């Protein structure tokens, strides 16, 4: 029974590796994009680079409050784990498109882009992607044998490090911002494709989780 249920861990680990790639892009390419291509003045006020960390923290806090309320409603209780994973993954991928398409793709020769696009990215990525992290951890806890729950949680966390390691190799070849910007489109497409695949096999995924 446990061997059958543990098969559901495989797609979770794959998703976590993809998320690790996304995190690496946020920590490197996104910061370069913020520094070189974003006009941080909004409404006559210049937003300090460090303020974006605070903005992300506020969005995460509000996300936690909203979804904590939503998951105790009747609709939230019917929201299956696979649907939460796909919802979060889809919005994370969509955020990459919302940042790059209106700016670099449609206006490649613009000197500086509005900070609004970066704020939209943070909002969609962190608020929309919040259900993924919660669903991934709760699903692993539900699947793992009781004596190995901690090890399975650790495996899920460390899977993101694989994505980061992949990006270290990529960044060894793509060093300039212009070379790295297409990564947003690539990872965004990959995240949406993974979300669609998981949704297509959602019934099988749920059966592996609930099988006893």
């Amino acid at each position: 029974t446990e061997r059958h249920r543990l098969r559901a861990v495989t797609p979770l680990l794959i998703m976590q590796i993809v998320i690790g790639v996304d995190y690496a892009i946020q920590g490197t390419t996104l910061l370069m994009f913020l520094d070189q291509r974003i006009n941080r003045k909004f409404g006559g006020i210049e937003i300090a680079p460090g303020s974006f960390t605070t903005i992300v923290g506020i969005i995460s806090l509000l996300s936690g409050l909203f979804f904590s309320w939503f998951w105790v409603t009747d609709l939230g209780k019917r929201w299956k784990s696979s649907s939460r994973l796909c919802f979060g993954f889809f919005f994370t991928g969509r955020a990459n498109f919302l940042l790059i398409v209106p700016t670099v793709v449609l206006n490649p020769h613009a000197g500086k882009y509005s900070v609004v696009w970066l704020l939209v990215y943070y909002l969609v990525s962190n608020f929309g992607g919040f259900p993924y992290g919660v669903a991934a951890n709760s699903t692993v806890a539900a699947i793992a044998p009781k004596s190995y729950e901690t090890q399975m949680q650790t495996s899920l966390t460390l899977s993101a490090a694989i994505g980061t390691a992949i990006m270290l190799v990529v960044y060894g070849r793509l060093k300039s911002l212009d070379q790295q910007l297409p990564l947003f489109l690539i990872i965004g497409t990959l995240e949406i494709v993974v979300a669609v695949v998981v949704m297509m096999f959602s019934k099988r995924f749920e059966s592996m989780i609930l099988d006893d």
Side-chain angles (χ1 to χ4, degrees), residues 31-164:
L31 295 180
M32 293 172 62
F33 187 72
L34 168 62
D35 179 57
Q36 301 178 24
R37 303 290 181 86
I38 293 294
N39 179 8
R40 292 184 282 105
K41 291 184 178 180
F42 181 73
I45 301 174
E46 184 171 354
I47 304 176
S51 299
F52 290 96
T53 302
T54 303
I55 292 173
V56 172
I58 293 173
I59 294 174
S60 298
L61 176 62
L62 295 176
S63 300
L65 292 173
F66 172 79
F67 285 108
S68 294
W69 164 80
F70 177 72
W71 282 325
V72 298
T73 65
D74 291 337
L75 181 59
K77 291 177 181 178
R78 295 196 298 269
W79 204 16
K80 296 181 178 180
S81 296
S82 58
S83 298
R84 297 182 188 185
L85 292 169
C86 293
F87 178 90
F89 229 65
F90 176 80
F91 269 83
T92 302
R94 188 178 182 181
N96 290 313
F97 282 96
L98 289 175
L99 175 64
I100 294 301
V101 172
T103 55
V104 178
V105 175
L106 298 181
N107 299 286
H109 303 297
K112 294 278 187 175
Y113 303 111
S114 172
V115 71
V116 171
W117 295 115
L118 190 60
L119 295 176
V120 169
Y121 168 84
Y122 281 129
L123 179 63
V124 175
S125 177
N126 288 276
F127 184 82
F130 188 88
Y132 164 78
V134 177
N137 282 284
S138 62
T139 301
V140 167
I143 294 173
K146 294 305 178 182
S147 58
Y148 287 95
E149 183 175 336
T150 302
Q151 289 89 332
M152 293 302 299
Q153 293 282 4
T154 303
S155 298
L156 180 69
T157 302
L158 292 178
S159 295
I162 298 176
T164 302

Side-chain angles (χ1 to χ4, degrees), residues 182-202:
L183 293 174
F184 282 103
L185 295 175
I186 295 172
I187 189 60
T189 302
L190 180 60
E191 286 169 334
I192 292 176
V193 168
V194 171
V196 172
V197 171
V198 172
M199 182 58 69
M200 289 173 60
F201 295 95
S202 60

